[in-house]
Amino acid sequence: MKKSRLGGLLIGSAAVLAVMGLAFGEAFCRACPWNASMYGSGSHGLFTRMVLWNGVGLVLGYGAFRLGWRRWLLAAPFIMVGWIGLMAYAATQPLINGRWGWVSLGRIGVNVFDLLPFVLALVGAWVAKKMRLSTLSATLMVGFVVLYAPCVNILANPNRLAYVKAVLTQEAVPDDPHALACSYLQKQSAEAIRASKWFGRAEITLNDIPEGPTTTMPAVASALFGKWYLALLGLVLGAMAAGFALTVAMQKDESLKAFTVIFGLGTVGCAVMSYLGVLGIVPILHLCVPLASFGGFTALLVWVGLGVLFSQPGETTAETSQP
């Protein structure tokens, strides 16, 4: 498979997700104008911001492509240091919706954790290059760094551990504010999906579902459009996952393989966990479906990441090196 076809599959999947996100954003603004107005600039501000973030993301993605893989690889450690500095600064800022990690850039709020898939993919690629590690070794190293803190946090907190067990075993949720809030969010999402028709809007009050544009977007979209939207979303995510997997299989450079694997897991993995969370299969982790959910900075980083991914010359694939 030629590199151009792989690029078409990945970029095409991202474009479909973006279109689905814009359609959802406009429909949500019409169905829940009061809820949508919370995102600023009037009742249609949410949709307008989604358009702008995708537009800026496409421009920066093309710039990332033109910059070249070698320059990105050289910049990886500096980008990591910059991210650590942002995280330290975010720790001094007030919480937003009970969560930390937010940095205000004028009137725009950015969560530093949205940067993680892109930053860690670059760092993983740099480590694979400098230490001459295989893709698997670099990915496992990055995975350990990412998962260590949250796993320790869950295991050391009896209430959060009990919530995870409750979701997986259908037991009673512990009497903890965070666990109860997550349980309520999940139940409302699952009920919205059950009440959805295959085509057309469900007869439920969408304002009763918290975090509609973000965490519970798949459930709210199912209630707005029908279950076909949920099925299509799953198919597009599957196509994007296949695109990342095929890209990895066709690459020879271990550093670029590491970037593709880590960035793909971070992008598609978050989307799948969000998708399964609203279905009640896994715990709600307050993750979003990149491009399809409202999350402008996340959408921008997906386009930039794809630009970096295809910034390598054609000899990175086995087939393009042949006449």
Side-chain angles (χ1 to χ4, degrees), residues 7 39 92 110 172 184 197 215 221 223 242 319:
Y39 292 85
T92 67
V110 174
Y184 176 79
K197 309 171 186 177
T215 305
E319 185 172 323

Side-chain angles (χ1 to χ4, degrees), residues 235-247:
L235 288 174
V236 177
L237 291 177
M240 178 173 277
F244 278 114
L246 290 171
T247 303

